Each structure stands twice: as structure tokens, then as C-alpha cells.
């Protein structure tokens, strides 16, 4: 991480030309890029600010969008000076070791002299792994549709849907327990094992979402065979005053309304360095509509709330964070089926039995999900280059599923009695010590302990169980100039103890112990400062989940009888990827990733051949089995400037999954897809905010590589979908209002997605017109003049 | 600038206290266990002799474990019968629940379908629900020649009773097949 020092409210004398360069190294080996964005107090771009590095006199002028780039920098200690007419100067000292992105927040000169704020963020320490980020209007455009849907904009990321209301992210073909979701720095411990269990995260909390693809990020834990999704809220405000953002969205399909807001501030003065934020989201939607019919009972309610408090000492900082996610999701009534005959009848119909009307009513079947997170994080500066980070978190997850049928003994009862109820309580304690090992090597040493209790009420699909885990890791990143290499190594060891207690009426009393190492080795090779190759090879493992070991029963909605396999062993992935990044400023920007992921003892559901007979008739039976599997593919992302205002955007995701034991394709692998778009930039507003119109064409091929058995219907046909999007910032007096208008599925195309489990029953939703408004606001508090202050991040 | 550690401790304790408002893991009573259908019972009455015989298909251990087992339905040739069906929860032998009452109470939302093969004659449903549409808890049939066959009994929840193929709509709550022997 970048160590930086900040000077507040002190006038800087320009001393250009008087200082010697910080380091006199061979310029050919100085390849570091420092880029960033200058923003105003409201987070909007601050145009045409001047950026100077005092040590070597290198400078740049931020563009209309506030962005700037400084290239060919040698590593070393720098002082950056950011100036702009009408704003206070900003001075920032830091050590540059690798490519770094900064956000510089300028404060307009007011009547009083106020403290300036700097928020600095480093490019994610992704090492050699492929990663993609989503922020700004790209993130906001999808937030109203949910976390999974917003991530679909990234190459290599798709979703596994259960109807139109439940979407799980899929990274390079892997999902559920094979990926990790880090919700504000805490590993999400929800009900990710189920394919119809969406991530329990409010997408409006996120200021930035990063997807790290492939195995090897040892810092966040075992299990990440497919990758990691980092959902990060913005940092607490560093300057006195109060401000925030209001988001309002209306979606035509489902007649959905969303209101979300952030209110944050910091007390004035240095005596009580306390900052805080409250955030909340309310979402309400009704029945969704396909081009031909409404989907009965597909509404949604969502009420999310979070708060954060931060206290900043001289060389330490403590943050407390609480978030509560609550949703009620309707499940398409026609998708709830009793047995194999019902399923075949439904597939033969291929559409809901009756045409529903629009309604906000949420009936059965339904899911109600609650997720709470409490986190206390303390950071202590332990030296010039070192920092200790301690985090305690508690998560509580409650998942209530309401069957289509009320319980027979609950006649007349309201919808208060779930058919099945899962609860998880998780405590985690984590530590991370960042330190320097010599001038060219930075390392992290850390560990964690987790205690988890899971209970299942009503129904015996899963046993009650406890899962306890401990792990520790070490990572180091090394770069010594003039070598054009950067190396990163990561090692991790985890131990897990699983105790499965009671399953329905049976006492299992089964104990399972798993342990294993994870590791990664990566290298970045800089051909040129803007052309680099990332090579990563990593290994990760995942203990079988209780659902895979002990589940016994009919899986809701899928009409399959699933039997666990108590003798499963851990699965292990060996993942290798190559990523080539080539950015030619103002001309093109392209990233190509190829990956090869070998998973030993891959756990999958194997069709049992003979159906299971019950009093409700026959159900297709599946057994959890293991085999060696191979996933390989290609993700490509490119932006090519065709003309001054016109950019071609292109994405390709290809994937092949193979089961080596069965000598057959893996089931439910994302089909090959292509996304091409034209983005036309309109003249920026006088304040410099970006305006654009974008037309995207998405082509998804038919998944022709499906296994011989295991699915109930053949893969759906290929389709082409058109999306239109426009973003512009309006000004009402001094108040900026960002307005986005999007039309998803512009031509109201009828199509079905292979990775939607409800494709048997219905088409995908039709045209959806989304209007979104973002209103940042801020009130500056009178702050007394501050002395020099410094802190370390 | 100074900050007192005691203040920090106070803050942390305050925050820690505020967590006590968090949701707790609430276990529900086992009494809330839902009823399930373990038994489908046919009561078949010979209209001439007025003699009633009872045949069951049972799956007492629920979905998993052992498959359902059933009695063979024994009928006389060239005879008229009335039939009534009931659904029971016999999972707890000390507390047998008759779920048929609840099907009757919600008769408009339920439909019992009969499918016959071989020598088992077609069952004619003789009862109606509260909307005067077919229900199927009661029926009648007349056997002809001797032979063997099957009778499939299906309990449907929320079927589309107006549909031409009502029995292929709705969610199946129970579906069992009886083997039938018609003898002289």
C-alpha cells in the first residue's frame, strides 16, 4: 500500500526548478504511472487543475473529466502539488513504488480557510491476476437491477439467475461457494451455497466494485476458486462539514421505484476527529413483464440501512460499520412445481399458465432474507512503512422460504410461517500487518479466526451445523528497478472444522476436518510503461459445503431430489492466467485475459438415472459426486477511439468447461458472448461533467456444449439484445443533477438465458426503461484553522 | 492535537452496546413442524354388497429413505363401486392427522385426478367444490372384465380448473399409483 502524508491548509510556495529530481535513475527503467482524478467537494470532476511533482518538475493538466496521468516516474519519495483557480492548493507527500491511482479532492476557496481533504486509493493489489473495476456511471447504471446485474458489464462476469429477481454473479464459470464476496472488507457469510440465493448486499452501498478473477488472492481466504468480488463503499469524509448523495430511480418494467441516500459528515475542529455516515435504500417493484405476458408474483421489496462512524487519531483510526439488508422476493408462481410430471407439463407449456396482471402484491412462493453486519476496524501506524489492521465482525443471516403451498396445519394463516428457515451467525476476527522488507519489498502478514453457527428449521434439507475456521497468510510484492519485473508471492494455510448435528429428526453428529494451503505466484512484465503482461498461477481449495455433504431432499423449485455425499473431499483449483494490458491514451485501451483453471475433485450434481419415488410422485434424483474438471477461456475488453467524440467498446467472453471423469461438458457454463457498443460523448457541461450516449449490442450464442444428462430441456437459442443509455448532468442553479436514461432490451426481444433456471417456464423480461437521478449535496461547516496534520493510510 | 484513549474506550463500549440490538438466532419450536402427506387412502365401496374396503399407499419416512409402499386394490368384475379418497399424516403414530379436512375446506384450490390403465375402469368424479367445479374426493366406477391395471391418484394444489387439461396444471401435493386386480 501507498504510504502518504498530507499537509492541510498550508499555503505552498512554488519551488519549481529549485529541487533536484528525487532519484537519478536511468529513465528507461522508470516506468511507474501515476494517474488519478481531481474532484470537487461533491465528488464531481474538478476541471483543468494543475498537477505538479515538485521533485522532478513533471506536471500534467487534468482534463475536463478531472483525470490526469503522469508517466515514466521512477520510484521514490514525491511531493505532489495540485492547484486550481478558485480552489485551495493541495499538497501531498508519498512514496511511489508502483502504478498508483489517486483521487484528489479540492476545496473551493470560501470565506474561511478550510481544511483540504485527500482521499487516496491505490490500484488494487491484484498482482498478476486479471481484475476489472466498476465505478461511477457504469456502476450506477446497473445498481437498480441488483448487484449481479451490475457486474454483468464486466468481461468474464455473468449471472446465474432464478427468474428475473434472483441473480448470482458467475466469474469465469464459477459461482456460489467458489467465489468470495467482500462486503466492505468483510467476507460475506450468507447462504451462498444455493443457486437461488442471491448475494445479501445492497448495491447502493458500493462506490466501487472490483472483480479479481481466478484463484490466488490468498489475503481474503480459501474458497476463492473462481475469484473475488470486492464491494467497497466510499471512504468516510476527511473534512469537516456535512454532505451526501440522493439517488432516485424508476424502472418501467415492474414499475419499480428506488430511493437511496447517503448522509455523511465530519465534526469541525481537531478535538473530536469523528466522521460518520448513514445510508439507506428503499426499493419496491411489482410484477415484471415479458414481451408477451406479465410474470405473476415477481415483485420485490428491499429495505437496506447502514451507518458508519470513524475516529481518527494521530497515528491510528477506528471505524465502526453496521449494515442491514432486508428483502422480500416473489418467485414466479408458475415455476413452483410439485414433481417431475408437473415440471414436464410446465416445460411443455413453456410459458406461465395464466396471464397475470400487474400487481405489487407479493404472495407465495416467496423468500425473505435478512443480513446484518457489524464491523469494528482499527488501524494503527506501526512505523513509516508499516501498519497494523485489526477487524472484528459479526454477521447474522436469516433466510425464510415460503413454499407455494401453505402448511396444511396453518390454514387461513397469513404469510408468516416459512416452509424452511436457515439462520447463520458468524463471528470473525482478522488481522493484517503491512510492513516493508527492505526498500523494494512490501509484505502483508495476517490471519483470521471464524466461528459460525448454522441452523435449519422446518424441513431437513440441511442439518444444523457449526463451521469454525482459522487461517493465516503472508504475501510479498517485490520490484527492484531497473528490472522491468514485478513479483508477487502469496501463501496461506487454513483449517476448518465442521460439526453437523441434527438433520430433521436424525442426529448426525458428524465431524469433518479440512485443511490446506493456498498460494499464488505472479509476475508483471513491463514491455513499456503502458504495455504490460500479467502472469499468475495460483492454487486454492474449498472444503465441501454441508449442502454437498449432507443435503437430503427435494430442492425447492427445481423438482430435483438431491442427496449429499458424506465422503466428499476438498476440491482444489490450479489456475493460470495471462493478461495483456495495452493502454494508448486517447486512442485505445485494451485488456486480454486467457485462463486455464484445473479443478481436482470438482464437486457437482450427477444425475442418478432412476428417479426417486415419493408420495408426491417421481423426482429426478441427483447425487453429489467429484471429478477432475477443467475450465478455460478468454476475456477481452477494448475501448477504441474512432473519432474525437466516438468510442467503440468491445467485450468478448469465451469459456469451455469439461468434466474429465465423465468425458463430458460441465453443466450450466455461460455461453460465449460478445458485447459491442458505440459511445458518443456529447459536449461536456460548463462544469466539465461527462455526457454521453451509448448503444450496446449484446450477442449471446447458444450453449451447444451441454452434458448428455442433467438438464430438463435443451439450451435456449442464441439471442441479440440492444441496450441504449444516455447520461447528462444538469445544473439547477449551483446544484448539479446527474440524470441517466437507459432502455434495456430496446427492441423488446423475446429470449431466454441458458443460465436462468426459470428458462423452462418463461422468457426473460422485456423492455425496461430506467430513469435515474443522482443529486450530490453538501453543506460546509465552519472549520477553525488547522495546524499541520498528518496521517497514514 | 490530542485525543484521550479513555474517550476511545468509551466510544468503543458505547458502540459495542449498540450491537446488542442485533438480530439473534431464534430457534423455532419443533411443534411448528409442518404436516406432510404420508398416506393416500382409498375407501372403495361395492354398491351391491355395501361392503367397504380400504387400500393405502404409505411413505411414512417422508421423501427420502424408503420408497412408498402400497396395497393392491382388489375388485370384482362387472360390479359398481363408489370411491372416496383421504390424505393422512401418519408420521407420528400417536397423532395421526387427517389432511382431507383441509383439502375440503380449501376445495376450490384443490383437485383430485384419477388416471386408469388396463382393467381399471375410468373413475367418474361425483363431488363439487365451493365454486361448483370438479373436486374429486368422491367418485364412482364400474368394472367389466377381469384383469389387471393401475389407478393413479393425484392431489393438485391451485390447478386451473377451467382449463381443458386441468390435471396437467397446478402443483402436485400427492401422486400415487395403486396396482389393481379385477377378478371374477
Amino acid at each position: 500500500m501507498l504510504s502518504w502524508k498530507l499537509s492541510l491548509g498550508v499555503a505552498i510556495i512554488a519551488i519549481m526548478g529549485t529541487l533536484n529530481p528525487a532519484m537519478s535513475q536511468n529513465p528507461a527503467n522508470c516506468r511507474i504511472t501515476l494517474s488519478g482524478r481531481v474532484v470537487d467537494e461533491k465528488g464531481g470532476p474538478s476541471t483543468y487543475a494543475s498537477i505538479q511533482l515538485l521533485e522532478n518538475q513533471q506536471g500534467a493538466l487534468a482534463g475536463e473529466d478531472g483525470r490526469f496521468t503522469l508517466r515514466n516516474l521512477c520510484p521514490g519519495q514525491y511531493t505532489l502539488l495540485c492547484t486550481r483557480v478558485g480552489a485551495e492548493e493541495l499538497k501531498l507527500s508519498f512514496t511511489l513504488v508502483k502504478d498508483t491511482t489517486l483521487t484528489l479532492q479540492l476545496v473551493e476557496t470560501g470565506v474561511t480557510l478550510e481544511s483540504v481533504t485527500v482521499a487516496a486509493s491505490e490500484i488494487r493489489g491484484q498482482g498478476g491476476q486479471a481484475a476489472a473495476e466498476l465505478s461511477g456511471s457504469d456502476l450506477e447504471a446497473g445498481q437498480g437491477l441488483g448487484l449481479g446485474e451490475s457486474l454483468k458489464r464486466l468481461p468474464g462476469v455473468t449471472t446465474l439467475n432464478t427468474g428475473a429477481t434472483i441473480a448470482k454473479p458467475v466469474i469465469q464459470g464459477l459461482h456460489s461457494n467458489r467465489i468470495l464476496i467482500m462486503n466492505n472488507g468483510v467476507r460475506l457469510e450468507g447462504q451462498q451455497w444455493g443457486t437461488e440465493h442471491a448475494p445479501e448486499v445492497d448495491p447502493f452501498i458500493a462506490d466501487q466494485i472490483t472483480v479479481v478473477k481466478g484463484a490466488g488472492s490468498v489475503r481474503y481466504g480459501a474458497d476463492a476458486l473462481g475469484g473475488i468480488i470486492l464491494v467497497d463503499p466510499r471512504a468516510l469524509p476527511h473534512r469537516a462539514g456535512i454532505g451526501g448523495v440522493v439517488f432516485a430511480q424508476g424502472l418501467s418494467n415492474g414499475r419499480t421505484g428506488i430511493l437511496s441516500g447517503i448522509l455523511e459528515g465530519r465534526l469541525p475542529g481537531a478535538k473530536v476527529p469523528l466522521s460518520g455516515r448513514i445510508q439507506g435504500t428503499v426499493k419496491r417493484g411489482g410484477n415484471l413483464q415479458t414481451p408477451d405476458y406479465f410474470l405473476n408474483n415477481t415483485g420485490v421489496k428491499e429495505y437496506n440501512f447502514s451507518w458508519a462512524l470513524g475516529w481518527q487519531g494521530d497515528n491510528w483510526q477506528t471505524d465502526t460499520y453496521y449494515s442491514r439488508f432486508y428483502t422480500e422476493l416473489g418467485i414466479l408462481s408458475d415455476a413452483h412445481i410439485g414433481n417431475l410430471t408437473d415440471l414436464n407439463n410446465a416445460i411443455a407449456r413453456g410459458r406461465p399458465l395464466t396471464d397475470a396482471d400487474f400487481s405489487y402484491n407479493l404472495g407465495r412462493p416467496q423468500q425473505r432474507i435478512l443480513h446484518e453486519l457489524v464491523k469494528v476496524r482499527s488501524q494503527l501506524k506501526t512505523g513509516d512503512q508499516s501498519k497494523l489492521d485489526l477487524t472484528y465482525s459479526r454477521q447474522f443471516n436469516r433466510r425464510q422460504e415460503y413454499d407455494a403451498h401453505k402448511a396444511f396445519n396453518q390454514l387461513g394463516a397469513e404469510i408468516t410461517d416459512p416452509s424452511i428457515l436457515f439462520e447463520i451467525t458468524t463471528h470473525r476476527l482478522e488481522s493484517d500487518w503491512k510492513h516493508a522488507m527492505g526498500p523494494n519489498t512490501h509484505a502483508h502478514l495476517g490471519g483470521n479466526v471464524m466461528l459460525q453457527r448454522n441452523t435449519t428449521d422446518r424441513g431437513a434439507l440441511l442439518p444444523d451445523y457449526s463451521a469454525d475456521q482459522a487461517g493465516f497468510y503472508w504475501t510479498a510484492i517485490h520490484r527492484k528497478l531497473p528490472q522491468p519485473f514485478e513479483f508477487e508471492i502469496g501463501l496461506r494455510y487454513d483449517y476448518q472444522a465442521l460439526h453437523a448435528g441434527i438433520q430433521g429428526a436424525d442426529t448426525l453428529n458428524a465431524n469433518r476436518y479440512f485443511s490446506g494451503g493456498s498460494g499464488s505466484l505472479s509476475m508483471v512484465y513491463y514491455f513499456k510503461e503502458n504495455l504490460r503482461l500479467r502472469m499468475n498461477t495460483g492454487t486454492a481449495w474449498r472444503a465441501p459445503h454441508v449442502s454437498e455433504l449432507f443435503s437430503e431432499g427435494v430442492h425447492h423449485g427445481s423438482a430435483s431430489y438431491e442427496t449429499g455425499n458424506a465422503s466428499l473431499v476438498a476440491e482444489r483449483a490450479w489456475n493460470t492466467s495471462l493478461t495483456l494490458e495495452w493502454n494508448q491514451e486517447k486512442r485505445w485501451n485494451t485488456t486480454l485475459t486467457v485462463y486455464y483453471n484445473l479443478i481436482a475433485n470438482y464437486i457437482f450434481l450427477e444425475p442418478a438415472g432412476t428417479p426417486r419415488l415419493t408420495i408426491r410422485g417421481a423426482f429426478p434424483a441427483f447425487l453429489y459426486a467429484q471429478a477432475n474438471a477443467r475450465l478455460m477461456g478468454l476475456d477481452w475488453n477494448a475501448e477504441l477511439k474512432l473519432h474525437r467524440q466516438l468510442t467503440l467498446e468491445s467485450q468478448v467472453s469465451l469459456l469451455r468447461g469439461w468434466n474429465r471423469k465423465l468425458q463430458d461438458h460441465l453443466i450450466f457454463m455461460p455461453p460465449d458472448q460478445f458485447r459491442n457498443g458505440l459511445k458518443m460523448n456529447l459536449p461536456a457541461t460548463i462544469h466539465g461533467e461527462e455526457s454521453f450516449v451509448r448503444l450496446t449490442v449484446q450477442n449471446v450464442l447458444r450453449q451447444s456444449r451441454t452434458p448428455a444428462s442433467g438438464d430438463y430441456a435443451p439450451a435456449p437459442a442464441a439471442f441479440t439484445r440492444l441496450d441504449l443509455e444516455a447520461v447528462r448532468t444538469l445544473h439547477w442553479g449551483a446544484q448539479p443533477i446527474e440524470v441517466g436514461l437507459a432502455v434495456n432490451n430496446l427492441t423488446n426481444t423475446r429470449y431466454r438465458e441458458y443460465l436462468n433456471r426459470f428458462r423452462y417456464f418463461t422468457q426473460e423480461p422485456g423492455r425496461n426503461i430506467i430513469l435515474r437521478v443522482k443529486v450530490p449535496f453538501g453543506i460546509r461547516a465552519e472549520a477553525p484553522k488547522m495546524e499541520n496534520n498528518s496521517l497514514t493510510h | 492535537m490530542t485525543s484521550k484513549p479513555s474517550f476511545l474506550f468509551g466510544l468503543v463500549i458505547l458502540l459495542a452496546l449498540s450491537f446488542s440490538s442485533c438480530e439473534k438466532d431464534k430457534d423455532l419450536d419443533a411443534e411448528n413442524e409442518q404436516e406432510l402427506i404420508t398416506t393416500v387412502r382409498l375407501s372403495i365401496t361395492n354398491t351391491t354388497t355395501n361392503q367397504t374396503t380400504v387400500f393405502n399407499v404409505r411413505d411414512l419416512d417422508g421423501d427420502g429413505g424408503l420408497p412408498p409402499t402400497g396395497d393392491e386394490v382388489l375388485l370384482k368384475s362387472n360390479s359398481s363401486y363408489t370411491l372416496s379418497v383421504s390424505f393422512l399424516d401418519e408420521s407420528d403414530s400417536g397423532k395421526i392427522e387427517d389432511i382431507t379436512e383441509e383439502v375440503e375446506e380449501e376445495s376450490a384450490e384443490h383437485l383430485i385426478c384419477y388416471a386408469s390403465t388396463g382393467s381399471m375402469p375410468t373413475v367418474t368424479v361425483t363431488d363439487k367444490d365451493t365454486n361448483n367445479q370438479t373436486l374429486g374426493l368422491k367418485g364412482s366406477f364400474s368394472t367389466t372384465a377381469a384383469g389387471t391395471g393401475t389407478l393413479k391418484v393425484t392431489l393438485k394444489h391451485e390447478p386451473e380448473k377451467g382449463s381443458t387439461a386441468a390435471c396437467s396444471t397446478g402443483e402436485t401435493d400427492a401422486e400415487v399409483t395403486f396396482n389393481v386386480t379385477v377378478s371374477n
Side-chain angles (χ1 to χ4, degrees):
Chain A
M1 270 204 198
L2 180 74
S3 166
W4 53 273
K5 200 175 164 193
L6 136 85
S7 301
L8 292 166
V10 182
I12 306 299
I13 305 144
I15 40 171
M16 280 155 252
T18 59
L19 279 177
N20 293 322
M23 292 195 182
S24 51
Q25 275 161 329
N26 181 354
N29 302 313
C30 295
R31 296 160 188 273
I32 299 177
T33 299
L34 175 70
S35 58
R37 193 162 167 253
V38 187
V39 297
D40 58 23
E41 291 134 287
K42 287 164 187 148
S46 189
T47 53
Y48 306 122
S50 154
I51 291 99
Q52 290 279 336
L53 288 178
L54 301 184
E55 280 79 358
N56 64 357
Q57 302 175 49
Q58 212 174 333
L61 198 62
E64 277 185 346
D65 54 1
R67 295 191 185 278
F68 65 88
T69 310
L70 289 161
R71 298 170 200 292
N72 299 327
L73 298 173
C74 308
Q77 188 76 31
Y78 287 96
T79 308
L80 180 147
L81 179 68
C82 178
T83 53
R84 183 175 166 269
V85 176
E88 289 176 24
E89 285 174 325
L90 176 69
K91 195 177 138 189
L92 181 67
S93 299
F94 53 90
T95 311
L96 199 60
V97 285
K98 61 177 186 176
D99 286 0
T100 300
T101 303
L102 292 171
T103 303
L104 305 170
Q105 196 166 26
L106 286 180
V107 176
E108 309 273 309
T109 331
V111 186
T112 53
L113 182 69
E114 294 185 71
S115 61
V116 286
T117 304
V118 171
S121 67
E122 190 184 8
I123 287 181
R124 278 280 163 194
Q126 66 187 79
Q129 284 185 278
E133 274 175 23
L134 206 58
S135 62
S137 64
D138 281 344
L139 171 64
E140 285 152 15
Q143 271 170 329
L145 296 168
L147 182 73
E149 294 293 329
S150 10
L151 291 171
K152 267 185 158 174
R153 287 183 171 234
L154 300 174
V157 184
T158 48
T159 56
L160 174 64
N161 290 52
T162 301
T165 46
I166 300 170
K168 286 176 81 83
V170 180
I171 306 174
Q172 295 179 340
L174 298 174
H175 57 84
S176 301
N177 282 335
R178 293 191 181 100
I179 63 173
L180 295 186
I181 297 174
M182 300 296 294
N183 180 13
N184 190 9
V186 177
R187 185 179 152 149
L188 181 70
E189 289 291 344
Q191 306 277 0
Q192 287 308 302
W193 51 275
T195 50
E196 73 278 35
H197 303 174
E200 300 95 342
V201 177
D202 177 9
F204 283 91
I205 281 182
D207 183 53
Q208 176 174 284
I209 302 178
T210 312
V211 177
V212 182
K213 301 175 198 172
S217 291
V218 300
R219 215 179 132 176
Y220 303 106
D223 299 350
L225 272 56
I228 294 170
I229 297 167
L230 301 136
V231 179
D232 292 315
R234 54 187 192 174
L236 282 171
H238 290 276
R239 62 175 295 271
I242 192 161
V245 193
V246 174
F247 299 92
Q249 296 201 2
L251 290 78
S252 70
N253 204 335
R255 300 177 201 171
T256 306
I258 304 167
L259 192 65
S260 184
I262 296 171
L263 181 68
E264 59 189 10
R266 184 180 167 111
L267 295 180
K271 274 194 177 144
V272 187
L274 186 70
S275 35
R277 165 166 56 226
I278 54 172
Q279 180 269 350
T281 304
V282 178
K283 179 176 179 178
R284 187 84 167 90
N287 285 350
L288 297 167
Q289 192 177 12
T290 71
D292 297 321
Y293 41 81
F294 275 102
L295 299 171
N296 195 17
N297 198 39
T298 49
V300 63
K301 284 182 198 174
E302 209 171 293
Y303 308 106
N304 306 321
F305 168 74
S306 76
W307 59 258
L309 269 179
W311 183 283
Q312 201 168 45
D314 287 336
N315 54 359
W316 57 270
Q317 190 172 330
T318 294
D319 297 307
T320 306
Y321 176 77
Y322 169 85
S323 70
R324 187 182 201 272
F325 172 89
Y326 178 75
T327 185
E328 294 180 9
L329 287 171
I331 312 281
L332 178 68
S333 338
D334 296 87
H336 207 94
I337 39 184
N339 62 14
L340 186 57
T341 318
D342 293 354
L343 176 66
N344 287 333
N345 287 335
I347 292 174
R349 274 195 300 272
R351 52 155 293 156
L353 187 62
T354 46
D355 282 353
D357 291 322
F358 178 79
S359 166
Y360 283 110
N361 259 353
L362 274 180
R364 287 168 177 264
Q366 189 183 122
Q367 297 181 357
R368 292 182 180 181
I369 296 139
L370 169 77
H371 192 89
E372 277 194 320
L373 163 67
V374 172
K375 171 182 114 160
V376 184
R377 179 181 181 210
S378 282
Q379 299 171 80
L380 178 70
K381 189 176 167 182
T382 49
D384 250 8
Q385 301 275 323
S386 71
K387 187 186 79 169
L388 183 66
D389 204 319
L390 285 171
T391 307
Y392 163 77
S393 63
R394 176 190 184 271
Q395 293 177 76
F396 173 74
N397 186 292
R398 175 187 295 154
R399 178 178 183 81
Q400 297 168 305
E401 293 187 2
Y402 296 80
D403 216 335
H405 204 315
K406 288 184 284 201
F408 281 114
N409 55 347
Q410 294 288 327
L411 274 183
E414 283 304 299
I415 184 163
T416 51
D417 189 32
S419 313
I420 194 157
L421 168 70
F422 301 104
E423 289 180 323
I424 308 183
T425 308
T426 309
H427 297 267
R428 277 182 83 86
L429 192 61
E430 290 165 77
S431 67
D432 178 75
W433 181 49
K434 182 206 144 192
H435 56 287
M437 297 171 69
N440 302 310
T441 307
H442 290 262
H444 286 267
L445 180 67
N448 80 288
V449 179
M450 180 187 93
L451 301 174
Q452 188 179 82
R453 298 289 170 269
N454 295 257
T455 55
T456 306
D457 270 297
R458 296 131 193 268
L461 187 65
L462 287 193
D464 290 351
Y465 70 99
S466 66
D468 300 328
Q469 173 266 346
F472 57 90
Y473 63 87
W474 177 75
T475 66
I477 184 158
H478 173 84
R479 177 140 192 226
K480 189 182 179 197
L481 289 155
Q483 294 162 354
F485 300 106
E486 181 182 298
F487 293 101
E488 191 174 339
I489 185 168
L491 296 167
R492 184 181 177 97
Y493 179 82
D494 283 276
Y495 175 81
Q496 293 182 26
L498 190 72
H499 175 78
I502 295 160
Q503 184 160 31
D506 304 327
T507 303
L508 284 178
N509 242 340
N511 292 308
R512 293 285 184 284
Y513 305 98
F514 301 97
S515 61
S518 324
S520 72
L521 194 61
S522 61
M523 187 183 86
V524 188
Y525 185 84
Y526 296 80
F527 295 100
K528 286 193 291 184
E529 153 260 328
N530 58 354
L531 174 64
R532 51 186 169 238
L533 181 68
R534 299 179 185 276
M535 290 162 271
N536 178 73
T537 180
T539 178
W541 67 285
R542 179 180 76 92
H545 187 264
V546 159
S547 65
E548 295 158 332
L549 290 165
F550 300 115
S551 76
E552 181 76 60
V554 174
H555 208 96
H556 265 256
S558 65
S560 60
Y561 190 95
E562 295 176 6
T563 307
N565 179 350
S567 58
L568 293 177
V569 298
E571 52 181 35
R572 176 170 290 281
W574 299 91
N575 182 298
T576 302
S577 70
L578 281 179
T579 303
L580 188 70
E581 293 171 350
W582 195 8
N583 307 317
Q584 201 72 38
E585 185 78 1
K586 304 204 165 144
R587 290 173 65 197
W588 69 75
N589 182 345
T590 171
T591 306
L592 175 72
T593 301
V594 287
Y595 58 93
Y596 188 88
N597 199 354
L598 204 58
I599 304 177
N601 297 313
Y602 179 82
I603 298 170
F604 67 104
L605 275 173
E606 190 168 14
T610 50
R612 174 72 82 147
L613 270 180
T614 74
I615 199 98
R616 280 177 291 161
F619 288 89
F622 291 87
L623 301 165
Y624 279 98
Q626 292 191 294
N628 291 344
R630 181 264 292 149
L631 291 98
M632 62 179 187
L634 175 154
D635 298 337
W636 151 269
N637 184 56
E639 286 156 37
L640 177 65
K641 206 144 209 172
L642 299 174
H643 182 259
R644 219 161 50 89
Q645 305 283 33
L646 198 62
T647 312
L648 175 72
E649 300 173 323
S650 177
Q651 282 185 6
V652 178
S653 301
L654 309 176
L655 172 60
R656 300 285 176 269
W658 187 250
N659 185 322
R660 290 188 163 175
K661 185 173 102 182
L662 301 182
Q663 285 295 307
D664 204 350
H665 300 286
L666 291 176
I667 200 163
F668 302 137
M669 286 291 132
D672 294 342
Q673 40 204 296
F674 308 87
R675 191 191 292 257
N676 290 289
L678 273 180
K679 179 179 174 184
M680 186 152 99
N681 278 80
L682 304 173
T685 61
I686 46 161
H687 299 271
E689 290 104 345
E690 193 188 27
S691 303
F692 63 85
V693 179
R694 174 192 277 145
L695 180 70
T696 311
V697 185
Q698 189 191 1
N699 299 90
V700 177
L701 302 187
R702 178 172 176 271
Q703 180 56 281
S704 54
R705 296 168 186 88
T706 56
S709 61
D711 202 355
Y712 305 120
F719 66 88
T720 300
R721 196 182 109 163
L722 261 65
D723 296 334
L724 188 69
E725 187 187 357
V727 176
R728 175 134 187 109
T729 302
L730 310 172
H731 287 268
W732 188 48
Q735 176 65 58
I737 301 169
E738 189 184 307
V739 181
L741 182 69
V743 187
N744 289 349
N745 195 359
L746 185 68
T747 54
N748 215 14
T749 302
R750 296 174 178 86
Y751 70 101
R752 288 172 200 242
E753 293 252 29
Y754 176 60
L755 282 186
N756 190 336
R757 288 153 36 90
F758 282 5
R759 69 179 150 92
Y760 308 132
F761 314 117
T762 168
Q763 309 164 352
E764 292 290 322
R767 187 184 297 124
N768 194 359
I769 303 166
I770 304 168
L771 179 68
R772 62 184 174 87
V773 174
K774 175 187 174 185
V775 185
F777 61 90
I779 306 156
R780 263 183 284 155
E782 302 259 323
K785 186 173 172 176
M786 279 170 68
E787 296 301 314
N788 258 10
N789 187 12
S790 67
L791 82 169
T792 292
H793 250 209
Chain B
M1 190 187 85
T2 56
S3 57
K4 290 179 197 140
S6 58
F7 189 93
L8 170 77
F9 272 96
L11 183 76
V12 168
I13 287 164
L14 190 76
L15 295 174
L17 287 175
S18 68
F19 300 161
S20 58
S21 64
C22 278
E23 296 273 350
K24 296 257 160 45
D25 197 335
K26 285 189 278 215
D27 280 339
L28 296 173
D29 298 338
E31 281 176 22
N32 279 330
E33 254 334 296
Q34 287 173 23
E35 285 175 17
L36 48 106
I37 296 171
T38 63
T39 306
V40 178
R41 174 170 295 169
L42 287 182
S43 302
I44 296 178
T45 308
N46 185 316
T47 53
T48 315
T49 62
N50 231 0
Q51 198 179 2
T52 300
T53 324
V54 170
F55 306 98
N56 295 303
V57 170
R58 287 195 170 98
D59 190 5
L60 297 184
D61 64 353
D63 284 348
L66 300 168
T69 54
D71 301 333
E72 187 177 14
V73 176
L74 302 172
L75 301 171
K76 287 274 173 208
S77 60
N78 298 313
S79 304
S80 294
Y81 291 92
T82 59
L83 169 154
S84 80
V85 65
S86 52
F87 303 94
L88 307 171
D89 180 359
E90 299 184 308
S91 54
D92 181 355
S93 57
K95 193 181 143 201
I96 292 170
E97 300 273 346
D98 189 355
I99 292 164
T100 323
E101 293 161 19
E102 283 139 27
V103 174
E104 279 171 336
E105 269 179 63
E106 283 190 329
S107 62
E109 289 174 24
H110 287 101
L111 176 68
I112 295 97
C113 299
Y114 298 91
S116 309
T117 64
S119 296
M120 179 64 210
T122 305
V123 175
T124 309
V125 171
T126 54
D127 59 349
K128 302 277 185 191
D129 67 14
T130 49
N131 294 338
N132 212 27
Q133 285 184 304
T134 311
L135 176 57
L137 282 171
K138 294 188 165 30
S140 65
F141 59 90
S142 298
T143 56
T144 52
T148 58
T150 62
L151 174 64
K152 185 163 85 175
V153 183
T154 309
L155 171 63
K156 287 282 187 175
H157 179 234
E158 290 187 340
E160 204 57 39
K161 288 197 184 182
S163 158
T164 47
C167 286
S168 68
T169 66
E171 183 192 354
T172 302
D173 280 345
E175 183 175 281
V176 297
T177 302
F178 289 89
N179 288 323
V180 180
T181 302
V182 182
S183 52
N184 287 316

